[in-house]
Amino acid sequence: MDKTIGVLARLVAKPGKQQAVADFLTNARPLADAEPNTLTWYAIQIDSHTFGIFDTFPHEEGRQAHLHGPIAAALMAHAAELLAEEQEIEAIRILAAK
């Protein structure tokens, strides 16, 4: 199973919305758990206003399903309320992992 296909998303919270973004990400975990092709899913906080999501998939179809799935839909629905700028979502290839 290939674990070299991933997504890295960077989210910058609006001032005063940091806890709401953290809560959104924490509450999204069950949605990620329900995605059979999302092998790993991490919600991270980089600094006081910057958050991220990092996940891996067994194939491109899994990545596309995730990018068009319920977490992405919920994020898009709340982006104007929570985020200071457009989220950066990058398709990545993992070169090495332990």
PDB file of all heavy atoms in Angstrom, residues 5-43:
ATOM      1  N   ILE A   5       1.235   9.430  -1.005  1.00  0.00           N
ATOM      2  CA  ILE A   5       0.317  10.436  -1.526  1.00  0.00           C
ATOM      3  C   ILE A   5      -0.294  11.163  -0.344  1.00  0.00           C
ATOM      4  O   ILE A   5      -0.819  10.539   0.573  1.00  0.00           O
ATOM      5  CB  ILE A   5      -0.776   9.775  -2.383  1.00  0.00           C
ATOM      6  CG1 ILE A   5      -0.134   9.113  -3.606  1.00  0.00           C
ATOM      7  CG2 ILE A   5      -1.827  10.781  -2.805  1.00  0.00           C
ATOM      8  CD1 ILE A   5      -1.072   8.234  -4.380  1.00  0.00           C
ATOM      9  N   GLY A   6      -0.220  12.493  -0.357  1.00  0.00           N
ATOM     10  CA  GLY A   6      -0.737  13.233   0.789  1.00  0.00           C
ATOM     11  C   GLY A   6      -1.343  14.567   0.428  1.00  0.00           C
ATOM     12  O   GLY A   6      -1.378  14.969  -0.733  1.00  0.00           O
ATOM     13  N   VAL A   7      -1.828  15.219   1.465  1.00  0.00           N
ATOM     14  CA  VAL A   7      -2.358  16.575   1.374  1.00  0.00           C
ATOM     15  C   VAL A   7      -1.798  17.353   2.553  1.00  0.00           C
ATOM     16  O   VAL A   7      -1.738  16.845   3.678  1.00  0.00           O
ATOM     17  CB  VAL A   7      -3.904  16.590   1.422  1.00  0.00           C
ATOM     18  CG1 VAL A   7      -4.433  17.995   1.646  1.00  0.00           C
ATOM     19  CG2 VAL A   7      -4.490  16.004   0.155  1.00  0.00           C
ATOM     20  N   LEU A   8      -1.399  18.577   2.298  1.00  0.00           N
ATOM     21  CA  LEU A   8      -0.979  19.499   3.337  1.00  0.00           C
ATOM     22  C   LEU A   8      -1.809  20.766   3.169  1.00  0.00           C
ATOM     23  O   LEU A   8      -1.766  21.407   2.121  1.00  0.00           O
ATOM     24  CB  LEU A   8       0.512  19.819   3.221  1.00  0.00           C
ATOM     25  CG  LEU A   8       1.069  20.809   4.231  1.00  0.00           C
ATOM     26  CD1 LEU A   8       0.920  20.270   5.654  1.00  0.00           C
ATOM     27  CD2 LEU A   8       2.528  21.097   3.928  1.00  0.00           C
ATOM     28  N   ALA A   9      -2.609  21.071   4.181  1.00  0.00           N
ATOM     29  CA  ALA A   9      -3.447  22.272   4.147  1.00  0.00           C
ATOM     30  C   ALA A   9      -3.006  23.210   5.258  1.00  0.00           C
ATOM     31  O   ALA A   9      -2.745  22.771   6.374  1.00  0.00           O
ATOM     32  CB  ALA A   9      -4.915  21.894   4.323  1.00  0.00           C
ATOM     33  N   ARG A  10      -2.957  24.480   4.947  1.00  0.00           N
ATOM     34  CA  ARG A  10      -2.562  25.507   5.912  1.00  0.00           C
ATOM     35  C   ARG A  10      -3.738  26.458   6.077  1.00  0.00           C
ATOM     36  O   ARG A  10      -4.274  26.967   5.085  1.00  0.00           O
ATOM     37  CB  ARG A  10      -1.327  26.230   5.385  1.00  0.00           C
ATOM     38  CG  ARG A  10      -0.726  27.235   6.294  1.00  0.00           C
ATOM     39  CD  ARG A  10       0.538  27.788   5.612  1.00  0.00           C
ATOM     40  NE  ARG A  10       1.064  28.906   6.317  1.00  0.00           N
ATOM     41  CZ  ARG A  10       2.040  28.813   7.215  1.00  0.00           C
ATOM     42  NH1 ARG A  10       2.584  27.656   7.478  1.00  0.00           N
ATOM     43  NH2 ARG A  10       2.464  29.903   7.827  1.00  0.00           N
ATOM     44  N   LEU A  11      -4.118  26.696   7.339  1.00  0.00           N
ATOM     45  CA  LEU A  11      -5.281  27.510   7.655  1.00  0.00           C
ATOM     46  C   LEU A  11      -4.866  28.630   8.601  1.00  0.00           C
ATOM     47  O   LEU A  11      -4.259  28.361   9.641  1.00  0.00           O
ATOM     48  CB  LEU A  11      -6.358  26.663   8.332  1.00  0.00           C
ATOM     49  CG  LEU A  11      -6.683  25.310   7.691  1.00  0.00           C
ATOM     50  CD1 LEU A  11      -7.554  24.488   8.604  1.00  0.00           C
ATOM     51  CD2 LEU A  11      -7.349  25.523   6.350  1.00  0.00           C
ATOM     52  N   VAL A  12      -5.186  29.867   8.263  1.00  0.00           N
ATOM     53  CA  VAL A  12      -4.862  31.009   9.122  1.00  0.00           C
ATOM     54  C   VAL A  12      -6.178  31.536   9.697  1.00  0.00           C
ATOM     55  O   VAL A  12      -7.061  31.984   8.949  1.00  0.00           O
ATOM     56  CB  VAL A  12      -4.115  32.117   8.354  1.00  0.00           C
ATOM     57  CG1 VAL A  12      -3.834  33.306   9.254  1.00  0.00           C
ATOM     58  CG2 VAL A  12      -2.819  31.566   7.762  1.00  0.00           C
ATOM     59  N   ALA A  13      -6.306  31.465  11.015  1.00  0.00           N
ATOM     60  CA  ALA A  13      -7.523  31.893  11.688  1.00  0.00           C
ATOM     61  C   ALA A  13      -7.638  33.410  11.732  1.00  0.00           C
ATOM     62  O   ALA A  13      -6.643  34.114  11.872  1.00  0.00           O
ATOM     63  CB  ALA A  13      -7.550  31.345  13.118  1.00  0.00           C
ATOM     64  N   LYS A  14      -8.878  33.889  11.637  1.00  0.00           N
ATOM     65  CA  LYS A  14      -9.133  35.302  11.856  1.00  0.00           C
ATOM     66  C   LYS A  14      -8.832  35.622  13.313  1.00  0.00           C
ATOM     67  O   LYS A  14      -8.955  34.745  14.179  1.00  0.00           O
ATOM     68  CB  LYS A  14     -10.601  35.627  11.581  1.00  0.00           C
ATOM     69  CG  LYS A  14     -10.964  35.690  10.134  1.00  0.00           C
ATOM     70  CD  LYS A  14     -12.413  36.127   9.976  1.00  0.00           C
ATOM     71  CE  LYS A  14     -12.736  36.333   8.516  1.00  0.00           C
ATOM     72  NZ  LYS A  14     -14.136  36.760   8.334  1.00  0.00           N
ATOM     73  N   PRO A  15      -8.462  36.862  13.616  1.00  0.00           N
ATOM     74  CA  PRO A  15      -8.260  37.237  15.020  1.00  0.00           C
ATOM     75  C   PRO A  15      -9.520  36.914  15.838  1.00  0.00           C
ATOM     76  O   PRO A  15     -10.637  37.202  15.413  1.00  0.00           O
ATOM     77  CB  PRO A  15      -8.005  38.744  14.954  1.00  0.00           C
ATOM     78  CG  PRO A  15      -7.441  38.955  13.574  1.00  0.00           C
ATOM     79  CD  PRO A  15      -8.176  37.962  12.699  1.00  0.00           C
ATOM     80  N   GLY A  16      -9.307  36.282  16.960  1.00  0.00           N
ATOM     81  CA  GLY A  16     -10.410  35.902  17.829  1.00  0.00           C
ATOM     82  C   GLY A  16     -11.080  34.593  17.457  1.00  0.00           C
ATOM     83  O   GLY A  16     -11.971  34.128  18.177  1.00  0.00           O
ATOM     84  N   LYS A  17     -10.688  33.978  16.343  1.00  0.00           N
ATOM     85  CA  LYS A  17     -11.307  32.728  15.883  1.00  0.00           C
ATOM     86  C   LYS A  17     -10.384  31.518  16.041  1.00  0.00           C
ATOM     87  O   LYS A  17     -10.681  30.437  15.574  1.00  0.00           O
ATOM     88  CB  LYS A  17     -11.724  32.852  14.409  1.00  0.00           C
ATOM     89  CG  LYS A  17     -12.813  33.870  14.171  1.00  0.00           C
ATOM     90  CD  LYS A  17     -14.112  33.436  14.815  1.00  0.00           C
ATOM     91  CE  LYS A  17     -15.230  34.408  14.508  1.00  0.00           C
ATOM     92  NZ  LYS A  17     -16.497  33.942  15.062  1.00  0.00           N
ATOM     93  N   GLN A  18      -9.263  31.705  16.740  1.00  0.00           N
ATOM     94  CA  GLN A  18      -8.303  30.615  16.883  1.00  0.00           C
ATOM     95  C   GLN A  18      -8.936  29.395  17.562  1.00  0.00           C
ATOM     96  O   GLN A  18      -8.748  28.266  17.117  1.00  0.00           O
ATOM     97  CB  GLN A  18      -7.066  31.059  17.673  1.00  0.00           C
ATOM     98  CG  GLN A  18      -6.298  32.174  17.025  1.00  0.00           C
ATOM     99  CD  GLN A  18      -6.751  33.549  17.499  1.00  0.00           C
ATOM    100  OE1 GLN A  18      -7.911  33.794  17.771  1.00  0.00           O
ATOM    101  NE2 GLN A  18      -5.790  34.468  17.594  1.00  0.00           N
ATOM    102  N   GLN A  19      -9.659  29.603  18.643  1.00  0.00           N
ATOM    103  CA  GLN A  19     -10.258  28.468  19.347  1.00  0.00           C
ATOM    104  C   GLN A  19     -11.328  27.804  18.486  1.00  0.00           C
ATOM    105  O   GLN A  19     -11.468  26.582  18.496  1.00  0.00           O
ATOM    106  CB  GLN A  19     -10.859  28.893  20.692  1.00  0.00           C
ATOM    107  CG  GLN A  19     -11.302  27.710  21.544  1.00  0.00           C
ATOM    108  CD  GLN A  19     -10.157  26.748  21.852  1.00  0.00           C
ATOM    109  OE1 GLN A  19      -9.096  27.162  22.328  1.00  0.00           O
ATOM    110  NE2 GLN A  19     -10.352  25.465  21.571  1.00  0.00           N
ATOM    111  N   ALA A  20     -12.059  28.583  17.715  1.00  0.00           N
ATOM    112  CA  ALA A  20     -13.080  28.017  16.834  1.00  0.00           C
ATOM    113  C   ALA A  20     -12.439  27.140  15.753  1.00  0.00           C
ATOM    114  O   ALA A  20     -12.964  26.078  15.419  1.00  0.00           O
ATOM    115  CB  ALA A  20     -13.919  29.125  16.205  1.00  0.00           C
ATOM    116  N   VAL A  21     -11.300  27.571  15.222  1.00  0.00           N
ATOM    117  CA  VAL A  21     -10.590  26.752  14.228  1.00  0.00           C
ATOM    118  C   VAL A  21     -10.059  25.482  14.892  1.00  0.00           C
ATOM    119  O   VAL A  21     -10.197  24.385  14.343  1.00  0.00           O
ATOM    120  CB  VAL A  21      -9.463  27.541  13.538  1.00  0.00           C
ATOM    121  CG1 VAL A  21      -8.618  26.633  12.653  1.00  0.00           C
ATOM    122  CG2 VAL A  21     -10.042  28.698  12.722  1.00  0.00           C
ATOM    123  N   ALA A  22      -9.471  25.616  16.071  1.00  0.00           N
ATOM    124  CA  ALA A  22      -8.978  24.437  16.798  1.00  0.00           C
ATOM    125  C   ALA A  22     -10.121  23.467  17.082  1.00  0.00           C
ATOM    126  O   ALA A  22      -9.970  22.247  16.903  1.00  0.00           O
ATOM    127  CB  ALA A  22      -8.298  24.863  18.095  1.00  0.00           C
ATOM    128  N   ASP A  23     -11.262  23.986  17.492  1.00  0.00           N
ATOM    129  CA  ASP A  23     -12.421  23.130  17.764  1.00  0.00           C
ATOM    130  C   ASP A  23     -12.924  22.462  16.489  1.00  0.00           C
ATOM    131  O   ASP A  23     -13.271  21.280  16.490  1.00  0.00           O
ATOM    132  CB  ASP A  23     -13.550  23.935  18.402  1.00  0.00           C
ATOM    133  CG  ASP A  23     -13.225  24.396  19.809  1.00  0.00           C
ATOM    134  OD1 ASP A  23     -12.278  23.872  20.437  1.00  0.00           O
ATOM    135  OD2 ASP A  23     -13.931  25.318  20.288  1.00  0.00           O
ATOM    136  N   PHE A  24     -12.972  23.217  15.395  1.00  0.00           N
ATOM    137  CA  PHE A  24     -13.387  22.650  14.116  1.00  0.00           C
ATOM    138  C   PHE A  24     -12.509  21.460  13.749  1.00  0.00           C
ATOM    139  O   PHE A  24     -13.007  20.395  13.390  1.00  0.00           O
ATOM    140  CB  PHE A  24     -13.333  23.708  13.003  1.00  0.00           C
ATOM    141  CG  PHE A  24     -13.584  23.143  11.640  1.00  0.00           C
ATOM    142  CD1 PHE A  24     -14.873  23.021  11.161  1.00  0.00           C
ATOM    143  CD2 PHE A  24     -12.532  22.700  10.848  1.00  0.00           C
ATOM    144  CE1 PHE A  24     -15.115  22.468   9.912  1.00  0.00           C
ATOM    145  CE2 PHE A  24     -12.760  22.146   9.604  1.00  0.00           C
ATOM    146  CZ  PHE A  24     -14.054  22.030   9.126  1.00  0.00           C
ATOM    147  N   LEU A  25     -11.200  21.641  13.853  1.00  0.00           N
ATOM    148  CA  LEU A  25     -10.277  20.571  13.490  1.00  0.00           C
ATOM    149  C   LEU A  25     -10.417  19.372  14.424  1.00  0.00           C
ATOM    150  O   LEU A  25     -10.446  18.221  13.971  1.00  0.00           O
ATOM    151  CB  LEU A  25      -8.843  21.088  13.482  1.00  0.00           C
ATOM    152  CG  LEU A  25      -8.526  22.091  12.368  1.00  0.00           C
ATOM    153  CD1 LEU A  25      -7.144  22.674  12.563  1.00  0.00           C
ATOM    154  CD2 LEU A  25      -8.669  21.445  10.999  1.00  0.00           C
ATOM    155  N   THR A  26     -10.520  19.624  15.708  1.00  0.00           N
ATOM    156  CA  THR A  26     -10.682  18.540  16.673  1.00  0.00           C
ATOM    157  C   THR A  26     -11.963  17.758  16.385  1.00  0.00           C
ATOM    158  O   THR A  26     -11.962  16.521  16.405  1.00  0.00           O
ATOM    159  CB  THR A  26     -10.711  19.101  18.104  1.00  0.00           C
ATOM    160  OG1 THR A  26      -9.482  19.780  18.348  1.00  0.00           O
ATOM    161  CG2 THR A  26     -10.877  18.002  19.131  1.00  0.00           C
ATOM    162  N   ASN A  27     -13.036  18.468  16.099  1.00  0.00           N
ATOM    163  CA  ASN A  27     -14.321  17.819  15.847  1.00  0.00           C
ATOM    164  C   ASN A  27     -14.398  17.140  14.489  1.00  0.00           C
ATOM    165  O   ASN A  27     -15.320  16.354  14.245  1.00  0.00           O
ATOM    166  CB  ASN A  27     -15.455  18.841  15.997  1.00  0.00           C
ATOM    167  CG  ASN A  27     -15.589  19.317  17.426  1.00  0.00           C
ATOM    168  OD1 ASN A  27     -15.315  18.590  18.370  1.00  0.00           O
ATOM    169  ND2 ASN A  27     -16.005  20.563  17.591  1.00  0.00           N
ATOM    170  N   ALA A  28     -13.448  17.415  13.591  1.00  0.00           N
ATOM    171  CA  ALA A  28     -13.432  16.785  12.268  1.00  0.00           C
ATOM    172  C   ALA A  28     -12.858  15.371  12.301  1.00  0.00           C
ATOM    173  O   ALA A  28     -13.009  14.621  11.341  1.00  0.00           O
ATOM    174  CB  ALA A  28     -12.646  17.650  11.286  1.00  0.00           C
ATOM    175  N   ARG A  29     -12.226  14.996  13.390  1.00  0.00           N
ATOM    176  CA  ARG A  29     -11.584  13.679  13.443  1.00  0.00           C
ATOM    177  C   ARG A  29     -12.525  12.519  13.119  1.00  0.00           C
ATOM    178  O   ARG A  29     -12.153  11.625  12.351  1.00  0.00           O
ATOM    179  CB  ARG A  29     -10.932  13.458  14.803  1.00  0.00           C
ATOM    180  CG  ARG A  29     -10.529  11.998  14.976  1.00  0.00           C
ATOM    181  CD  ARG A  29      -9.165  11.783  15.431  1.00  0.00           C
ATOM    182  NE  ARG A  29      -8.896  10.346  15.368  1.00  0.00           N
ATOM    183  CZ  ARG A  29      -8.420   9.659  16.356  1.00  0.00           C
ATOM    184  NH1 ARG A  29      -8.132  10.240  17.499  1.00  0.00           N
ATOM    185  NH2 ARG A  29      -8.183   8.376  16.207  1.00  0.00           N
ATOM    186  N   PRO A  30     -13.736  12.460  13.675  1.00  0.00           N
ATOM    187  CA  PRO A  30     -14.623  11.348  13.315  1.00  0.00           C
ATOM    188  C   PRO A  30     -14.927  11.281  11.816  1.00  0.00           C
ATOM    189  O   PRO A  30     -15.103  10.187  11.276  1.00  0.00           O
ATOM    190  CB  PRO A  30     -15.895  11.618  14.124  1.00  0.00           C
ATOM    191  CG  PRO A  30     -15.440  12.453  15.269  1.00  0.00           C
ATOM    192  CD  PRO A  30     -14.321  13.295  14.725  1.00  0.00           C
ATOM    193  N   LEU A  31     -14.965  12.429  11.157  1.00  0.00           N
ATOM    194  CA  LEU A  31     -15.177  12.428   9.704  1.00  0.00           C
ATOM    195  C   LEU A  31     -13.987  11.791   8.993  1.00  0.00           C
ATOM    196  O   LEU A  31     -14.154  11.018   8.052  1.00  0.00           O
ATOM    197  CB  LEU A  31     -15.412  13.853   9.197  1.00  0.00           C
ATOM    198  CG  LEU A  31     -16.641  14.567   9.742  1.00  0.00           C
ATOM    199  CD1 LEU A  31     -16.665  16.021   9.276  1.00  0.00           C
ATOM    200  CD2 LEU A  31     -17.909  13.846   9.341  1.00  0.00           C
ATOM    201  N   ALA A  32     -12.784  12.111   9.448  1.00  0.00           N
ATOM    202  CA  ALA A  32     -11.582  11.495   8.871  1.00  0.00           C
ATOM    203  C   ALA A  32     -11.553  10.002   9.161  1.00  0.00           C
ATOM    204  O   ALA A  32     -11.200   9.200   8.292  1.00  0.00           O
ATOM    205  CB  ALA A  32     -10.332  12.179   9.411  1.00  0.00           C
ATOM    206  N   ASP A  33     -11.940   9.619  10.381  1.00  0.00           N
ATOM    207  CA  ASP A  33     -11.980   8.198  10.745  1.00  0.00           C
ATOM    208  C   ASP A  33     -12.924   7.416   9.837  1.00  0.00           C
ATOM    209  O   ASP A  33     -12.702   6.232   9.567  1.00  0.00           O
ATOM    210  CB  ASP A  33     -12.420   8.017  12.196  1.00  0.00           C
ATOM    211  CG  ASP A  33     -11.357   8.429  13.195  1.00  0.00           C
ATOM    212  OD1 ASP A  33     -10.170   8.533  12.821  1.00  0.00           O
ATOM    213  OD2 ASP A  33     -11.730   8.653  14.362  1.00  0.00           O
ATOM    214  N   ALA A  34     -13.978   8.052   9.361  1.00  0.00           N
ATOM    215  CA  ALA A  34     -14.981   7.385   8.528  1.00  0.00           C
ATOM    216  C   ALA A  34     -14.546   7.249   7.069  1.00  0.00           C
ATOM    217  O   ALA A  34     -15.215   6.572   6.298  1.00  0.00           O
ATOM    218  CB  ALA A  34     -16.301   8.136   8.613  1.00  0.00           C
ATOM    219  N   GLU A  35     -13.443   7.874   6.704  1.00  0.00           N
ATOM    220  CA  GLU A  35     -12.954   7.789   5.321  1.00  0.00           C
ATOM    221  C   GLU A  35     -12.007   6.596   5.190  1.00  0.00           C
ATOM    222  O   GLU A  35     -10.887   6.644   5.692  1.00  0.00           O
ATOM    223  CB  GLU A  35     -12.226   9.073   4.933  1.00  0.00           C
ATOM    224  CG  GLU A  35     -13.105  10.293   4.899  1.00  0.00           C
ATOM    225  CD  GLU A  35     -12.361  11.563   4.552  1.00  0.00           C
ATOM    226  OE1 GLU A  35     -11.107  11.559   4.490  1.00  0.00           O
ATOM    227  OE2 GLU A  35     -13.030  12.572   4.344  1.00  0.00           O
ATOM    228  N   PRO A  36     -12.428   5.535   4.513  1.00  0.00           N
ATOM    229  CA  PRO A  36     -11.605   4.325   4.461  1.00  0.00           C
ATOM    230  C   PRO A  36     -10.262   4.516   3.763  1.00  0.00           C
ATOM    231  O   PRO A  36      -9.311   3.790   4.060  1.00  0.00           O
ATOM    232  CB  PRO A  36     -12.473   3.319   3.704  1.00  0.00           C
ATOM    233  CG  PRO A  36     -13.462   4.139   2.950  1.00  0.00           C
ATOM    234  CD  PRO A  36     -13.672   5.385   3.761  1.00  0.00           C
ATOM    235  N   ASN A  37     -10.154   5.491   2.882  1.00  0.00           N
ATOM    236  CA  ASN A  37      -8.898   5.697   2.161  1.00  0.00           C
ATOM    237  C   ASN A  37      -8.039   6.813   2.730  1.00  0.00           C
ATOM    238  O   ASN A  37      -7.042   7.197   2.126  1.00  0.00           O
ATOM    239  CB  ASN A  37      -9.174   5.940   0.677  1.00  0.00           C
ATOM    240  CG  ASN A  37      -9.647   4.684  -0.002  1.00  0.00           C
ATOM    241  OD1 ASN A  37      -9.039   3.627   0.139  1.00  0.00           O
ATOM    242  ND2 ASN A  37     -10.751   4.774  -0.719  1.00  0.00           N
ATOM    243  N   THR A  38      -8.418   7.343   3.882  1.00  0.00           N
ATOM    244  CA  THR A  38      -7.553   8.287   4.585  1.00  0.00           C
ATOM    245  C   THR A  38      -6.752   7.468   5.588  1.00  0.00           C
ATOM    246  O   THR A  38      -7.268   7.045   6.612  1.00  0.00           O
ATOM    247  CB  THR A  38      -8.378   9.386   5.286  1.00  0.00           C
ATOM    248  OG1 THR A  38      -9.114  10.099   4.289  1.00  0.00           O
ATOM    249  CG2 THR A  38      -7.471  10.353   6.020  1.00  0.00           C
ATOM    250  N   LEU A  39      -5.491   7.200   5.250  1.00  0.00           N
ATOM    251  CA  LEU A  39      -4.651   6.321   6.071  1.00  0.00           C
ATOM    252  C   LEU A  39      -4.199   7.002   7.349  1.00  0.00           C
ATOM    253  O   LEU A  39      -4.205   6.398   8.420  1.00  0.00           O
ATOM    254  CB  LEU A  39      -3.443   5.856   5.265  1.00  0.00           C
ATOM    255  CG  LEU A  39      -3.761   5.084   3.991  1.00  0.00           C
ATOM    256  CD1 LEU A  39      -2.470   4.761   3.241  1.00  0.00           C
ATOM    257  CD2 LEU A  39      -4.542   3.821   4.298  1.00  0.00           C
ATOM    258  N   THR A  40      -3.746   8.251   7.226  1.00  0.00           N
ATOM    259  CA  THR A  40      -3.355   9.037   8.395  1.00  0.00           C
ATOM    260  C   THR A  40      -3.973  10.410   8.244  1.00  0.00           C
ATOM    261  O   THR A  40      -4.176  10.905   7.129  1.00  0.00           O
ATOM    262  CB  THR A  40      -1.824   9.180   8.530  1.00  0.00           C
ATOM    263  OG1 THR A  40      -1.311   9.870   7.377  1.00  0.00           O
ATOM    264  CG2 THR A  40      -1.145   7.835   8.670  1.00  0.00           C
ATOM    265  N   TRP A  41      -4.300  11.022   9.379  1.00  0.00           N
ATOM    266  CA  TRP A  41      -4.900  12.359   9.379  1.00  0.00           C
ATOM    267  C   TRP A  41      -4.427  13.071  10.626  1.00  0.00           C
ATOM    268  O   TRP A  41      -4.613  12.576  11.736  1.00  0.00           O
ATOM    269  CB  TRP A  41      -6.427  12.252   9.372  1.00  0.00           C
ATOM    270  CG  TRP A  41      -7.145  13.552   9.248  1.00  0.00           C
ATOM    271  CD1 TRP A  41      -7.452  14.208   8.097  1.00  0.00           C
ATOM    272  CD2 TRP A  41      -7.667  14.366  10.315  1.00  0.00           C
ATOM    273  NE1 TRP A  41      -8.130  15.378   8.379  1.00  0.00           N
ATOM    274  CE2 TRP A  41      -8.279  15.491   9.747  1.00  0.00           C
ATOM    275  CE3 TRP A  41      -7.669  14.245  11.700  1.00  0.00           C
ATOM    276  CZ2 TRP A  41      -8.877  16.481  10.497  1.00  0.00           C
ATOM    277  CZ3 TRP A  41      -8.264  15.238  12.456  1.00  0.00           C
ATOM    278  CH2 TRP A  41      -8.870  16.340  11.852  1.00  0.00           C
ATOM    279  N   TYR A  42      -3.777  14.192  10.434  1.00  0.00           N
ATOM    280  CA  TYR A  42      -3.272  14.994  11.551  1.00  0.00           C
ATOM    281  C   TYR A  42      -3.830  16.400  11.442  1.00  0.00           C
ATOM    282  O   TYR A  42      -3.752  17.025  10.382  1.00  0.00           O
ATOM    283  CB  TYR A  42      -1.743  15.094  11.514  1.00  0.00           C
ATOM    284  CG  TYR A  42      -1.039  13.789  11.638  1.00  0.00           C
ATOM    285  CD1 TYR A  42      -0.674  13.053  10.514  1.00  0.00           C
ATOM    286  CD2 TYR A  42      -0.717  13.274  12.891  1.00  0.00           C
ATOM    287  CE1 TYR A  42      -0.020  11.846  10.634  1.00  0.00           C
ATOM    288  CE2 TYR A  42      -0.055  12.065  13.016  1.00  0.00           C
ATOM    289  CZ  TYR A  42       0.280  11.354  11.881  1.00  0.00           C
ATOM    290  OH  TYR A  42       0.936  10.158  11.999  1.00  0.00           O
ATOM    291  N   ALA A  43      -4.373  16.910  12.531  1.00  0.00           N
ATOM    292  CA  ALA A  43      -4.734  18.318  12.652  1.00  0.00           C
ATOM    293  C   ALA A  43      -3.669  18.944  13.542  1.00  0.00           C
ATOM    294  O   ALA A  43      -3.385  18.428  14.633  1.00  0.00           O
ATOM    295  CB  ALA A  43      -6.121  18.466  13.267  1.00  0.00           C
TER     296      ALA A  43
END
